[in-house]
Amino acid sequence: MHRPRSRFIFLTWALFCSTVGVLAMPRPEPTSPPTRVELPKRGLSSWASSVAQGLPTDVASGILPAFQGLPSPDDIKEQLNLTDDSINQLPIQVLNIPSYANWTSSGWNVRIHGQAYRQPPANNETLDRISSIFIADLEVSSLNETGLQQSRNMSASMLALPAGDVNLNFTLTSPISNASLLIDFPVATDSRGEFDQFIQLNAQDVPTNTSVMSWPLYTVNVESGNTTMWFVPPEGISIVSDIDDILRFTQIYVPQQGLYNSFAVPFVPWSDMPNV
């Protein structure tokens, strides 16, 4: 049985850990388990403070922490005084990951993946307490309005509750004709609220092309969950890159600074990479 995961873990995985290739590397030598170092608790509640109970020493060598102390759904329900009935009354929201489609002999093979969740309400004080863990060297109150809003948005994502056993449908919209194609997703979301399937589209629905096409993908009857589907032609060269410190400035190789840049600093392109 899978342990339900916070939407923040899913979002962090999507942003920080997405790769599209594996390089052959020598087999690493065995190493001893990393020790943990204590960080200031700053008077936070116990479930939030668990995040700051310690980071592995390998963080010093440039590896981001694993966020093992993030609150579980039961922790969130308890701290926010939520009941199952009140949670079920919250609207379904969807985090849809921008994805791609490959051209095959049978048409386009489209990957649709993301997470369905419910967002419980939380006041600014609660969100600021969570933010203070991840930017521990800086008082949240010292952030400007833009940084404060971003940190609260990031912290709110950690309170999101996964929505399992939800059936979703999607529409792809042609940017040329504005016609929409309905996609019936074949399976419900799993216990973590996640969905991930390849869907075969007929060549008549989306014709092949010699250049990359981008079509908007919408989640039916859900205000959130809009993303972009990239149709990659059968010929040519495509470059797909990770985000952090390649397309955006994050400094994930300095973990505490990377967290600060992610929580409190608006998106900043790295050098001239977007034009490259």
Side-chain angles (χ1 to χ4, degrees):
M1 178 178 294
H2 294 295
R3 181 181 184 273
R5 293 187 288 190
S6 162
R7 174 175 169 249
F8 181 78
I9 298 176
F10 193 86
L11 182 61
T12 302
W13 180 261
L15 292 181
F16 291 105
C17 302
S18 60
T19 57
V20 292
V22 178
L23 296 177
M25 300 293 288
R27 181 183 298 275
E29 293 297 326
T31 58
S32 57
T35 58
R36 293 183 177 274
V37 294
E38 181 116 0
L39 296 182
K41 301 297 193 299
R42 306 182 63 184
L44 300 174
S45 57
S46 59
W47 66 270
S49 296
S50 64
V51 182
Q53 285 178 353
L55 299 179
T57 54
D58 56 8
V59 166
S61 64
I63 302 174
L64 278 174
F67 303 106
Q68 294 177 347
L70 288 173
S72 69
D74 288 339
D75 292 330
I76 295 170
K77 289 165 61 176
E78 179 180 355
Q79 292 297 321
L80 298 181
N81 296 318
L82 298 172
T83 65
D84 289 340
D85 287 340
S86 64
I87 292 172
N88 290 333
Q89 292 176 9
L90 295 172
I92 293 290
Q93 299 189 51
V94 173
L95 170 67
N96 231 330
I97 308 300
S99 194
Y100 61 91
N102 292 328
W103 178 257
T104 71
S105 58
S106 302
W108 290 103
N109 201 26
V110 176
R111 186 186 184 192
I112 299 178
H113 63 139
Q115 185 187 40
Y117 63 97
R118 291 182 171 91
Q119 184 68 58
N123 57 37
N124 288 339
E125 180 183 358
T126 299
L127 298 177
D128 291 346
R129 290 207 317 269
I130 298 173
S131 297
S132 68
I133 296 173
F134 289 91
I135 49 177
D137 295 334
L138 180 70
E139 290 293 336
V140 175
S141 59
S142 68
L143 298 175
N144 60 30
E145 189 62 32
T146 300
L148 193 60
Q149 186 59 51
Q150 177 155 328
S151 70
R152 287 171 178 170
N153 288 342
M154 291 287 287
S155 295
S157 69
M158 280 184 277
L159 299 178
L161 298 168
D165 199 27
V166 174
N167 293 299
L168 299 171
N169 293 318
F170 304 92
T171 57
L172 268 172
T173 302
S174 168
I176 300 175
S177 66
N178 210 35
S180 294
L181 173 65
L182 178 64
I183 299 176
D184 292 319
F185 204 73
V187 295
T189 58
D190 63 19
S191 61
R192 299 173 297 197
E194 297 177 21
F195 53 91
D196 190 354
Q197 292 283 319
F198 278 92
I199 309 295
Q200 192 74 43
L201 302 181
N202 295 325
Q204 293 84 358
D205 296 327
V206 182
T208 186
N209 199 4
T210 56
S211 61
V212 175
M213 301 182 296
S214 62
W215 285 35
L217 178 72
Y218 301 95
T219 308
V220 177
N221 296 327
V222 177
E223 292 185 1
S224 60
N226 301 339
T227 189
T228 300
M229 181 66 62
W230 299 92
F231 291 84
V232 182
E235 297 181 356
I237 298 175
S238 299
I239 299 176
V240 182
S241 173
D242 195 0
I243 296 172
D244 297 283
D245 294 302
I246 298 176
L247 297 182
R248 64 170 290 177
F249 180 80
T250 308
Q251 287 186 292
I252 59 172
Y253 46 86
V254 184
Q256 194 61 52
Q257 186 66 37
L259 290 170
Y260 170 72
N261 288 335
S262 299
F263 265 78
V265 178
F267 179 91
V268 178
W270 184 89
S271 187
D272 200 35
M273 277 303 294
N275 290 330
V276 174

